[in-house]
Amino acid sequence: MTDLAVQRSRTGTDHPASVGPAPRTRLGRLLRLAWYLRGVWHLVARPLTMGVRAIILDESDPASPQVLLIRHSYVDGWHLPGGGVGRGETLGEAMRREVREEVGLLADRQIQPFGIYARFRNGASDHVAVFAVRGWSGTPKADGVEILEARFFPLDRLPAELSPATGRRLREFLGRQPIAERW
């Protein structure tokens, strides 16, 4: 292994640390365009939307708990897994579905609501519910299309490319700053 930093996964396998944004594929560029067009639609339609995020914890080593973070193909940085709430779904059902779709894990027990946040950006009126997930099964795997990478990071050694909102949510979760109302 080179002298690049490595990250030990839940299974004990070493993974090279990320050294910057991944090159964008054609599909990644199309997803980024769709993301921007969604912002334009929000400016025009001003819909009220609901989303979910999951703080998925691996506490198998109590001395070094870890959190699962993902990198999207269409937006930079490391984020909490999650997405939109569909019609007829509860917040918990939506969070479980998004986690299953994005990283292949089953959040099958011990979910706990953590906070609800308002996000008013680019004309959007989003509200995001964040859940703490301490019980799950499976092995995280990025789909390679929407999600480029999914990895556990020790809570005391988070990646430098952490999205600002994800950093705030994790500091709140760890009790290092008060819980905010806005994303």
Side-chain angles (χ1 to χ4, degrees), residues 7 65-69 78 152-162 166-167 170-171 174 176:
Q7 168 64 43
Q66 299 184 38
V67 64
L68 182 68
L69 300 174
W78 289 93
F152 280 97
F153 290 89
L155 284 167
D156 61 353
R157 290 189 310 273
L158 297 170
E161 304 88 12
L162 193 64
T166 300
L170 291 174
R171 285 190 301 276
L174 294 170
R176 296 179 183 154

Side-chain angles (χ1 to χ4, degrees), residues 13 26 41 62 94 103 112 129 145 150 181:
T13 307
R26 174 182 270 172
W41 176 71
V103 296
Q112 177 182 9
V145 178
E181 285 187 59

Side-chain angles (χ1 to χ4, degrees), residues 50 84-90 94 97:
M50 189 75 204
V85 178
R87 290 192 185 276
E89 278 186 314
T90 67
R97 175 185 50 76

Side-chain angles (χ1 to χ4, degrees), residues 11-30:
T11 59
T13 307
D14 289 335
H15 298 282
S18 177
V19 284
R24 301 226 185 269
T25 63
R26 174 182 270 172
L27 183 56
R29 288 190 299 274
L30 286 172

Side-chain angles (χ1 to χ4, degrees), residues 167-179:
R168 287 189 299 273
R169 299 300 75 84
L170 291 174
R171 285 190 301 276
E172 292 167 356
F173 180 75
L174 294 170
R176 296 179 183 154
Q177 75 181 49
I179 296 175

